[in-house]
């Protein structure tokens, strides 16, 4: 089994990477493969609601000049997903949100039912709002949300400081254990059969 960890920070060896690495190490101790993908500093387009992904019936965004489709393909292959971001003005990093929105809109079926966790890394505040923002799409895709001993938050400002947040690091290790337990519990379980979705809006 494999967990994909998406690091939304532009800082390659920053605090989010440290938090994700702690989770990855702990997952591997539990016998679960872990891959960290860092979004880095290259531009990531936002969704333009062109619906081309739906029209083509495919599972790809029509823009193929950034990391989105590559990461979407990895999201398809993984058994569990962990999304991590630094907090910017009380919200996750914009590039990460752009990528998630395009991946989910173009290939939402890839994610249905997979266990998901979010991790927010900040100097001081805005982590819980960021956690909610990252989890919102997955909460409408039958994804079990994986939690820990505390909210999945690590504190630090300058790159490297996260390693000093001992409680935060412990929270990451507990999260990894819970993800492993969830994945092992779901292994070989049949997927629930859902009713055909009734899609309604509020004006008709
Ligand atoms: C543009 C910007 C906005 C930020 N806004 C917040 C914030 O709202 N709350 C906070 O606690 N830290 C904020 N920070 C600090 C980062 O969240 C913090 O330095 C974090 O450790 C960076 O993670 P990284 O090393 O993985 O990039 C901000 C940093 C930047 C660059």
């Amino acid at each position: 089994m494999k967990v994909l960890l998406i690091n939304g920070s532009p800082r390659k060896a920053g605090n989010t990477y440290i938090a994700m690495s702690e989770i990855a190490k702990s997952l591997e101790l539990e016998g679960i493969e872990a891959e960290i993908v860092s979004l880095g500093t290259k531009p990531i387009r936002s969704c333009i609601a062109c619906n081309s992904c739906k029209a083509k019936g495919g599972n790809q965004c029509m823009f193929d000049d950034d990391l989105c489709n590559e990461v979407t393909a990895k999201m398809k292959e993984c058994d569990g997903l962990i999304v991590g971001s630094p907090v910017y003005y009380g919200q996750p990093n914009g590039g990460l949100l752009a990528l998630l929105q395009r991946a989910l809109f173009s290939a939402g079926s890839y994610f249905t039912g997979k266990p998901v966790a979010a991790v927010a890394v900040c100097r001081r505040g805005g982590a819980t709002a960021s956690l909610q923002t990252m989890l919102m799409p997955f909460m409408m895709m039958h994804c079990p949300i994986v939690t820990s001993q505390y909210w999945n938050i690590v504190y630090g400002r300058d790159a490297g400081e996260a390693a000093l947040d001992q409680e935060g690091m412990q929270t990451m290790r507990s999260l990894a254990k819970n993800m492993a337990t969830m994945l092992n519990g779901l292994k070989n379980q049949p997927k629930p059969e859902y009713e055909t979705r009734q899609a309604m809006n509020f004006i008709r």
Side-chain angles (χ1 to χ4, degrees):
M1 279 184 296
K2 180 169 178 177
V3 171
L4 179 70
L5 298 100
I6 301 179
N7 168 20
S9 171
R11 294 205 286 199
K12 229 180 180 170
N15 292 321
T16 311
Y17 183 78
I18 290 170
M20 303 303 254
S21 301
E22 191 72 5
I23 301 169
K25 255 191 298 174
S26 306
L27 281 169
E28 276 162 4
L29 289 176
E30 301 287 330
I32 309 265
E33 198 187 329
E35 179 183 359
I36 303 177
V37 173
S38 293
L39 299 190
T41 53
K42 297 216 173 104
I44 297 175
R45 290 172 182 268
S46 53
C47 180
I48 60 164
C50 65
N51 277 307
S52 297
C53 49
K54 309 265 182 265
K56 282 187 192 154
N59 284 308
Q60 284 218 326
C61 178
M62 63 169 270
F63 292 128
D64 207 12
D65 55 358
D66 60 22
L67 273 176
C68 183
N69 285 332
E70 197 183 311
V71 175
T72 304
K74 286 179 187 288
M75 287 161 108
K76 181 186 181 189
E77 298 309 321
C78 72
D79 301 289
L81 179 69
I82 301 183
V83 182
S85 181
V87 174
Y88 285 178
Y89 296 100
Q91 290 290 286
N93 170 284
L96 173 72
L97 291 182
L99 182 137
L100 284 180
Q101 287 162 7
R102 280 168 59 212
L104 293 161
F105 198 59
S106 61
S109 63
Y110 287 178
F111 313 104
T112 307
K114 288 185 184 177
V116 172
V119 171
V121 179
C122 70
R123 178 186 73 84
R124 192 169 180 85
T128 52
S130 301
L131 288 176
Q132 178 175 354
T133 301
M134 285 186 271
L135 290 175
M136 286 298 274
F138 301 104
M139 291 196 288
M140 54 171 284
M141 293 188 165
H142 305 284
C143 297
I145 304 300
V146 186
T147 59
S148 187
Q149 65 194 43
Y150 189 79
W151 296 289
N152 295 325
I153 298 168
V154 175
Y155 289 96
R157 186 185 68 173
D158 297 335
E161 285 180 353
L164 306 175
D165 176 8
Q166 289 182 21
E167 184 175 349
M169 290 293 109
Q170 188 178 58
T171 303
M172 298 299 101
R173 293 192 293 276
S174 299
L175 167 60
K177 275 187 195 283
N178 290 342
M179 174 62 90
T181 305
M182 179 87 79
L183 288 173
N184 286 321
L186 289 173
K187 197 162 69 179
N188 304 326
Q189 288 294 318
K191 292 233 183 305
E193 285 194 17
Y194 300 110
E195 293 176 22
T196 308
R197 185 166 166 214
Q198 300 221 24
M200 296 183 65
N201 63 30
F202 290 107
I203 51 169
R204 46 186 163 91

